[in-house]
Amino acid sequence: MVLSNVTIYEIGVPTSYVRPGDAGVTIIASETTCNLSMNWYYSYSTWLVPIEVTDKGRASVKVEGMEVGLTLGLENDGGTLKLSLLECGCHVRDILIKLDGGASWLYQGMVDAFKEQISSAVEKAIPKKLEEGTLKLDSVLRDLPKEVPVDDNASVNVTFVNGPLLTNSSIGFGINGLFTAKEKALVPRNSWNFQLPVLCRDPAKMLGISLDEAVFKSAAALYYDAKFMQWIVDKIPDQSLLNTAGWRFIIPQLYKKYPNHDMNMNISLSAPPDIRISDNNIGATVYADLIIDVLEAEEVIPVACISLVIRGSGSVRIVQNNLAGSVKLSDFSMSLKWSNIGNLRIYLVQPVIWTAIETVFVPYANSHLAKGFPLPIVHGFTLQDAEIILTNSRITVCGDVSYAEEDMLRHSLLFDAF
């Protein structure tokens, strides 16, 4: 009796659970069923009967009550995740063999004698495939991108820091999270002061992401260093204020020296914005210099520079998988830094500057903040029912996730990129 081409073509997993622990992540699949197909061949001969009796056909095998378990180890390997199979096992409780073709009814009893061998083969084949799958998944994890682009100039460093922290109900990962210039090489950090687990108001939420204040400070510093925080204001709602005639009662000496000349305002930050996150509040302080320019023919003539300290409050929201935001002006103070047209009455200039900040500077900032930056969420998943929690120096995003590309995920193991 020969069995050949034994093929497992379907596995059903009605119940399973995942349990993190100190040793790793344990996955148990219970009451698993397994369907196999095979060819059977029978031959019989004896010296008493010189004629050989042969027969063949197909057989279907159903394995029931199979228990499959494995424990996976996770560790940080130079900023990437390394996955290893620590333990794996499979136990077959019951097996049913049905023959088709030929005089199958005659040989059914003989084939039943192969149950133990088939069970043993299944119990060896499943762990072997799981080991192969673990290696493939490990390769996928190692190929995860180390940075996520934000725009043409900046990326978020998503290399892992420290090792994963496992509790009996969650797995926590520390990610660098700082903004970096695109042309700058990433330097993985071996340690980072991060807190896990992420605390959500609703413990049933599937995902929690905690963003430290340092993430936003790094973004502010990067764009400041890249000279992107400079603006020339040549259009405002009240365009008359960009002509010296509109300033003749505010700065008479300006109008006297440059009558009916067009103007612009050159605003540049003198330091990166200072961002502070506290309970239920996001505050930002911006230090800037505003240079008043007079346009004469082809020449731009700086006539005065005013130092500004702008204070605002911010809010954040989730847009798909991005953290977006907006700011509004709270107050500001100003002082004269230098002047080529004599002393300025700052209290007269202040309303004009307030208008320029509210109608030009704030809308410009909000147009960029509205786009947001990507949260470190696995590609193919979408954040749902998210809530945002502000605590001392941290923004925490808690929510559920859904498969945005379920069919793709089913065929590509897990994911291909953040």
Side-chain angles (χ1 to χ4, degrees):
M1 188 75 185
V2 177
L3 303 179
S4 61
N5 293 333
V6 182
T7 304
I8 298 175
Y9 64 88
E10 184 180 51
I11 294 179
V13 183
T15 59
S16 64
Y17 69 88
V18 179
R19 178 172 295 171
D22 294 337
V25 181
T26 299
I27 304 172
I28 302 294
S30 304
E31 298 300 320
T32 303
T33 61
C34 177
N35 293 323
L36 300 86
S37 65
M38 64 185 70
N39 297 329
W40 60 269
Y41 174 79
Y42 171 78
S43 66
Y44 177 77
S45 64
T46 177
W47 63 273
L48 294 174
V49 181
I51 301 173
E52 183 180 37
V53 178
T54 63
D55 205 350
K56 63 181 179 179
R58 294 278 295 168
S60 58
V61 180
K62 187 174 183 64
V63 178
E64 295 181 332
M66 187 167 63
E67 299 284 330
V68 181
L70 67 155
T71 300
L72 300 171
L74 282 168
E75 60 181 294
N76 180 10
D77 184 15
T80 62
L81 280 181
K82 179 181 179 181
L83 184 72
S84 58
L85 183 62
L86 302 179
E87 189 178 358
C88 184
C90 175
H91 173 69
V92 174
R93 187 182 68 192
D94 192 20
I95 187 168
L96 174 66
I97 303 175
K98 181 183 178 182
L99 300 185
D100 296 308
S104 55
W105 58 270
L106 182 61
Y107 315 116
Q108 184 70 51
M110 298 180 187
V111 173
D112 287 342
F114 284 86
K115 283 185 178 181
E116 284 193 15
Q117 289 91 329
I118 295 174
S119 296
S120 177
V122 171
E123 290 174 347
K124 291 179 180 178
I126 296 294
K128 183 179 179 181
K129 283 295 180 182
L130 289 175
E131 185 176 357
E132 293 174 1
T134 302
L135 291 174
K136 291 179 181 179
L137 185 53
D138 175 61
S139 177
V140 171
L141 291 175
R142 289 179 177 274
D143 288 339
L144 287 175
K146 294 179 174 57
E147 59 181 357
V148 177
V150 176
D151 53 31
D152 293 337
N153 306 291
S155 299
V156 176
N157 184 338
V158 291
T159 55
F160 291 91
V161 294
N162 295 28
L165 296 182
L166 287 79
T167 70
N168 60 1
S169 61
S170 66
I171 306 174
F173 301 99
I175 294 174
N176 181 291
L178 300 183
F179 280 63
T180 59
K182 275 199 167 182
E183 67 276 5
K184 189 174 181 180
L186 296 179
V187 179
R189 297 182 69 103
N190 294 324
S191 63
W192 192 266
N193 182 24
F194 65 96
Q195 301 172 0
L196 290 171
V198 176
L199 298 179
C200 296
R201 293 192 181 103
D202 183 359
K205 291 294 185 182
M206 298 168 66
L207 177 67
I209 302 173
S210 181
L211 299 159
D212 191 88
E213 198 175 79
V215 172
F216 305 97
K217 288 180 177 292
S218 71
L222 184 145
Y223 286 107
Y224 172 78
D225 292 340
K227 310 296 183 184
F228 284 107
M229 294 188 176
Q230 298 178 348
W231 304 272
I232 294 178
V233 180
D234 54 9
K235 291 183 180 179
I236 58 176
D238 188 356
Q239 195 66 19
S240 65
L241 291 175
L242 289 181
N243 188 284
T244 56
W247 294 70
R248 64 184 181 276
F249 300 116
I250 302 171
I251 310 177
Q253 64 270 34
L254 173 64
Y255 178 70
K256 184 177 180 180
K257 188 172 184 179
Y258 302 102
N260 295 313
H261 280 61
D262 288 332
M263 305 164 51
N264 64 36
M265 298 181 189
N266 189 338
I267 301 175
S268 62
L269 269 60
S270 54
D274 184 21
I275 301 169
R276 299 287 180 183
I277 302 171
S278 58
D279 291 345
N280 303 314
N281 183 61
I282 303 174
T285 303
V286 176
Y287 303 91
D289 289 335
L290 185 151
I291 298 176
I292 300 173
D293 293 327
V294 172
L295 309 180
E296 188 172 48
E298 299 297 324
E299 188 179 0
V300 178
I301 305 171
V303 295
C305 178
I306 298 172
S307 293
L308 304 174
V309 180
I310 305 168
R311 300 175 184 86
S313 60
S315 61
V316 289
R317 64 185 184 277
I318 299 298
V319 179
Q320 296 180 337
N321 286 348
N322 284 11
L323 183 68
S326 62
V327 295
K328 61 180 181 180
L329 181 62
S330 298
D331 65 79
F332 81 102
S333 59
M334 52 190 291
S335 60
L336 182 64
K337 192 170 184 178
W338 55 262
S339 171
N340 294 329
I341 53 175
N343 194 29
L344 307 184
R345 297 176 182 176
I346 293 297
Y347 69 92
L348 293 177
V349 178
Q350 189 164 348
V352 178
I353 304 303
W354 177 280
T355 300
I357 293 172
E358 278 219 308
T359 58
V360 179
F361 180 78
V362 172
Y364 179 85
N366 284 336
S367 68
H368 286 270
L369 292 173
K371 301 174 184 177
F373 71 90
L375 293 169
I377 297 176
V378 174
H379 177 69
F381 289 84
T382 301
L383 190 61
Q384 290 187 331
D385 301 323
E387 65 170 340
I388 297 173
I389 305 168
L390 301 181
T391 56
N392 186 29
S393 77
R394 289 178 179 272
I395 295 177
T396 300
V397 178
C398 298
D400 295 325
V401 292
S402 64
Y403 295 125
E405 303 173 29
E406 188 171 357
D407 291 336
M408 188 251 341
L409 291 172
R410 188 182 296 115
H411 292 93
S412 62
L413 292 178
L414 183 59
F415 47 72
D416 57 9
F418 277 108

